[in-house]
Amino acid sequence: VDKGERVWRLLPTPGIWPEGKSHTLHLPAGDFDPKRPDIVVCEGPWDGMALWEASHGIDVDVIAVPGCNVWRDEWTALCRGKHVTLMFDSDHPRTHGGKTFRAGLDGMYRVARKLNGITASVKWLRWGKEGWDESKPSGWDVRDHLSASADRTAALDALLAKVEDVRTSWFLPVPSANW
């Protein structure tokens, strides 16, 4: 667009995505402050943008991974010593090849294990009793939740009320069958 209009472009954050890497970490340009004690990790840049907009005024860094199966080791350094909250999608279980997957929940589990002992704490967004919300479509996410309400402050408060400490069983050498 060349009419003097501002255009939003979803681009990799400079300095975070080394040349030639296939996945990128997204965060609002100019807003990341390494001195902040809290980081929220969203699944997907659109969720990250929606949360960042809704949480403006709260002293928290919001970053977004490109998907629930992506966590690069170099991102762990951003979380060192911080209180990290994982907010991945509410994906319902699906079975493939005889194995059951819960994409968002499984992703939070993997990232929490990588951050264990490095961060001050790790919390997760527990969408429902089993980790996902059966009353919403599979894939329901932060952006869906915030966009479903005219009152974004109330929607953010409701979302934050679902956050809890990760289960200690997530850090056992062999994962528990009961999440």
Side-chain angles (χ1 to χ4, degrees), residues 2-126:
D2 195 344
K3 300 175 186 172
E5 296 176 17
R6 289 180 54 149
V7 177
W8 283 98
R9 293 184 190 173
L10 189 58
L11 300 173
T13 305
I16 302 296
W17 188 23
E19 197 63 37
K21 299 281 181 153
S22 61
H23 296 292
T24 170
L25 180 68
H26 297 273
L27 52 129
D31 188 61
F32 184 82
D33 182 355
K35 294 180 182 128
R36 287 186 182 131
D38 300 304
I39 294 180
V40 176
V41 181
C42 292
E43 178 189 343
W46 299 113
D47 290 351
M49 286 187 278
L51 184 67
W52 178 79
E53 179 184 69
S55 66
H56 220 62
I58 299 174
D59 197 26
V60 63
D61 282 317
V62 177
I63 63 176
V65 296
C68 64
N69 291 318
V70 181
W71 184 264
R72 302 188 75 76
D73 290 335
E74 56 263 28
W75 301 340
T76 301
L78 292 172
C79 301
R80 185 173 303 285
K82 302 205 183 257
H83 300 281
V84 177
T85 301
L86 305 171
M87 292 190 169
F88 288 15
D89 297 356
S90 174
D91 298 310
H92 298 181
R94 63 181 176 81
T95 302
H96 180 71
K99 186 171 180 185
T100 301
F101 299 92
R102 300 153 299 242
L105 179 62
D106 293 345
M108 287 188 285
Y109 167 81
R110 281 189 301 276
V111 173
R113 288 180 62 91
K114 288 181 180 252
L115 297 176
N116 185 34
I118 293 167
T119 62
S121 66
V122 182
K123 296 179 182 273
W124 68 298
L125 174 57
R126 184 177 186 161

Side-chain angles (χ1 to χ4, degrees), residues 130-152:
E130 300 299 325
W132 58 89
D133 186 345
E134 289 288 338
S135 72
K136 304 288 186 206
S138 185
W140 185 262
D141 59 24
V142 169
R143 182 174 161 221
D144 294 327
H145 179 84
L146 294 172
S147 298
S149 173
D151 184 348
R152 288 245 174 138

